Amino acid sequence: MALIVHKYGGTSMGSTERIKNVAKRVAKWHDAGYQIVVVPSAMSGETNRLIALATEIMPQPDPRELDMIASTGEQVSVGLLAMALLALGKQAVSYTGWQVAIKTDSAFTKARIQSIDDEKVRRDLDAGKIVIVAGFQGVDPNGNIATLGRGGSDTSAVAMAAALKASECLIFTDVDGVYTTDPRVVSDARRMKTVTFEEMLELASLGSKVLQSRSVEFAGNYHVPTRVLSSLTDPMLDLETEANSGTLISFEEDTNMEHAVISGIAFTRNEAKITVLGVPDKPGIAYQILGPISAANIEVDMIIQNQSVEGKTDFTFTVSRGDYVKAMDVLTQHKDELGGASVHGDAKVSKVSVVGVGMRSHVGVASQMFRTLSQESINIQMISTSEIKISVLIDEKYMELAVRALHKTFELDSE
Ligand code: ADP
Ligand code: ASP
Ligand code: MG
């Protein structure tokens, strides 16, 4: 019997009415003969509410205790969904991450899944039960609850699908698939029927919130067929139609296919830029600046170092906005080692990226991107590229303008 994992996000679980609809949809798949594991998120807004409560008590919350609090939203969801299924006459059972157990490392608030014990889940499935597993959470080697980072239920679902060798992982959400860019920012954005794994990984890691990037990594590493589709359709929609809707992440590169040069645009508002001016240009300086940053567990994204003038250079890098204050503090503490350099920061910057495997065989994408931004008088502060993406850092006030202009330039609104 085919096993399928369903994941339902916050909006999809947003009210008891919506949860009843999720139960109807899940029951429909179970009635059609599938074994089903469901991974729900907390009800929409709930994780934010819990984190806000924590910060009222402790402005920089202790990470272990924060996870203890933030993980509870999903515990409510699994229980409610199990009840909704029981009320429909289905056999269902809910588990927290630690009950399963989903084992993680101890990096609280951004833990990584290390392994999953699937024995209990398999036993329930074989007994005909629908199994509901809390997303976003796991248990570390010392028995502490650890969460997987915001949007982490996607990763819980794909990891469950990988562990159980499910035939598919269906990510039900509040949009009907993966679009050329966030449809809430560009109304002309177009849904893609398929997206290559590589493009999806870039889009997700460059900010497209529709999938957490680690879930895409899991899908790739374990070849889990993964589809993003809407949870807001009629729950009794014909199963065949539903099974073919949305966007499928494809692993096969169709070499005969003529790829669009750019397939999508991602953006993140969540950036901050730090510049160290007038550092002595000598071996080891990058390490002197970034060593303490990395020791403080802060991830660095873009980096540039200028040409040196009279033995001094400028060094600029970006971190996520949540780490900005901490990063500035770290550099201020190490100022003496930086030979009198001055540290400047700007937490009002955004990153916009164009992504496409077609870039490999086309030249001129960068110049087309830069021309478009220049026509809109948007100043580019930093640039980074890889084989299939170009990212620019710009003032956050121009982010939406940039995304719309680029979407048009690269003709993403047309088939
Ligand atoms: P869920 O609660 O179901 O996990 P999320 O809010 O995390 O849902 O992700 C879905 C949202 O992702 C959509 O509502 C949409 O605004 C946003 N989004 C960003 N980029 C894209 C994209 N390229 N395609 C579709 N949705 C996107
Ligand atoms: N509830 C968690 C969050 O809001 C996990 C998720 O929704 O995927 O980030
Ligand atoms: Mg999400």
Side-chain angles (χ1 to χ4, degrees):
M1 203 186 302
L3 193 165
I4 297 218
V5 174
H6 283 199
K7 181 259 171 177
Y8 292 90
T11 314
S12 319
M13 294 291 293
S15 63
T16 47
E17 227 27 67
R18 290 237 166 112
I19 292 174
K20 286 181 193 169
N21 278 340
V22 168
K24 282 185 201 154
R25 199 179 295 276
V26 170
K28 172 184 76 183
W29 280 79
H30 194 255
D31 289 341
Y34 290 95
Q35 290 190 319
I36 308 281
V37 173
V38 191
V39 178
S41 296
M43 295 169 80
S44 58
E46 184 58 12
T47 310
N48 286 345
R49 189 186 72 85
L50 294 164
I51 294 173
L53 277 179
T55 50
E56 272 176 39
I57 302 270
M58 196 178 186
Q60 299 281 329
D62 175 83
R64 178 193 182 275
E65 302 311 327
L66 183 60
D67 277 357
M68 180 64 101
I69 298 160
S71 60
T72 59
E74 273 72 10
Q75 187 168 341
V76 173
S77 288
V78 289
L80 289 173
L81 182 56
M83 285 189 207
L85 282 160
L86 292 171
L88 292 179
K90 286 291 188 186
Q91 281 185 282
V93 57
S94 66
Y95 294 114
T96 60
W98 58 268
Q99 285 177 316
V100 169
I102 296 176
K103 295 183 176 165
T104 69
D105 61 22
S106 302
F108 298 116
T109 76
K110 46 185 165 192
R112 283 181 176 269
I113 296 177
Q114 292 183 328
S115 64
I116 296 180
D117 291 342
D118 59 7
E119 198 190 312
K120 197 186 285 179
V121 174
R122 281 191 190 280
R123 202 177 51 220
D124 290 331
L125 289 171
D126 290 342
K129 291 182 191 167
I130 295 167
V131 182
I132 305 156
V133 175
F136 183 50
Q137 53 176 267
V139 59
D140 86 346
N142 303 313
N144 300 301
I145 293 175
T147 67
L148 310 179
R150 297 308 303 269
S153 298
D154 297 329
T155 303
S156 310
V158 181
M160 279 305 300
L164 294 164
K165 301 192 175 57
S167 56
E168 201 163 358
C169 183
L170 301 182
I171 309 276
F172 287 92
T173 182
D174 58 5
V175 276
D176 62 353
V178 179
Y179 278 68
T180 45
T181 192
D182 189 340
R184 289 181 212 281
V185 169
V186 179
S187 54
D188 288 343
R190 191 175 42 80
R191 179 173 64 83
M192 298 183 257
K193 285 201 178 79
T194 62
V195 58
T196 68
F197 156 72
E198 275 180 292
E199 286 169 329
M200 193 63 240
L201 188 58
E202 287 282 11
L203 288 170
S205 46
L206 293 167
S208 290
K209 184 181 168 215
V210 63
L211 285 177
Q212 198 197 36
S213 59
R214 280 188 194 158
S215 71
V216 187
E217 279 170 24
F218 261 103
N221 290 345
Y222 296 93
H223 271 234
V224 181
T226 302
R227 183 182 291 274
V228 176
L229 68 173
S230 174
S231 72
L232 303 178
T233 55
D234 175 0
M236 297 322 285
L237 177 68
D238 166 63
L239 193 134
E240 190 67 25
T241 309
E242 184 161 283
N244 290 299
S245 67
T247 302
L248 180 70
I249 299 178
S250 70
F251 299 105
E252 310 289 312
E253 276 238 2
D254 185 347
T255 42
N256 297 322
M257 210 165 98
E258 181 64 27
H259 282 288
V261 182
I262 297 301
S263 54
I265 301 177
F267 52 83
T268 153
R269 299 170 215 265
N270 194 24
E271 304 283 321
K273 179 179 80 166
I274 297 178
T275 302
V276 190
L277 284 180
V279 276
D281 188 18
K282 57 177 192 200
I285 198 68
Y287 177 65
Q288 251 166 15
I289 296 172
L290 296 182
I293 294 286
S294 128
N297 221 347
I298 298 171
E299 256 177 65
V300 170
D301 180 17
M302 297 166 125
I303 303 174
I304 42 171
Q305 183 179 336
N306 285 350
Q307 277 285 28
S308 72
V309 178
E310 292 167 4
K312 299 260 180 189
T313 184
D314 304 333
F315 193 92
T316 305
F317 61 96
T318 62
V319 296
S320 89
R321 213 173 279 178
D323 286 330
Y324 173 64
V325 174
K326 192 162 144 198
M328 290 293 278
D329 285 351
V330 167
L331 286 184
T332 314
Q333 281 161 25
H334 288 78
K335 222 170 162 184
D336 292 347
E337 293 130 66
L338 300 176
S342 58
V343 181
H344 303 262
D346 182 358
K348 292 201 162 137
V349 287
S350 293
K351 184 168 73 175
V352 176
S353 311
V354 298
V355 173
V357 290
M359 242 187 252
R360 285 196 183 116
S361 48
H362 283 78
V363 289
V365 178
S367 72
Q368 200 177 345
M369 179 179 194
F370 303 155
R371 185 173 60 233
T372 304
L373 296 172
S374 111
Q375 280 161 350
E376 300 294 339
S377 306
I378 300 170
N379 186 38
I380 300 171
Q381 303 181 10
M382 292 174 87
I383 300 169
S384 80
T385 63
S386 77
E387 212 188 1
I388 64 160
K389 72 115 204 270
I390 305 167
S391 300
V392 294
L393 193 78
I394 58 174
D395 187 325
E396 69 169 10
K397 8 182 224 286
Y398 302 121
M399 199 228 29
E400 295 199 0
L401 174 64
V403 173
R404 287 198 194 100
L406 292 168
H407 198 266
K408 200 159 184 190
T409 295
F410 290 109
E411 297 175 346
L412 293 179
D413 45 355
S414 49
E415 286 287 338

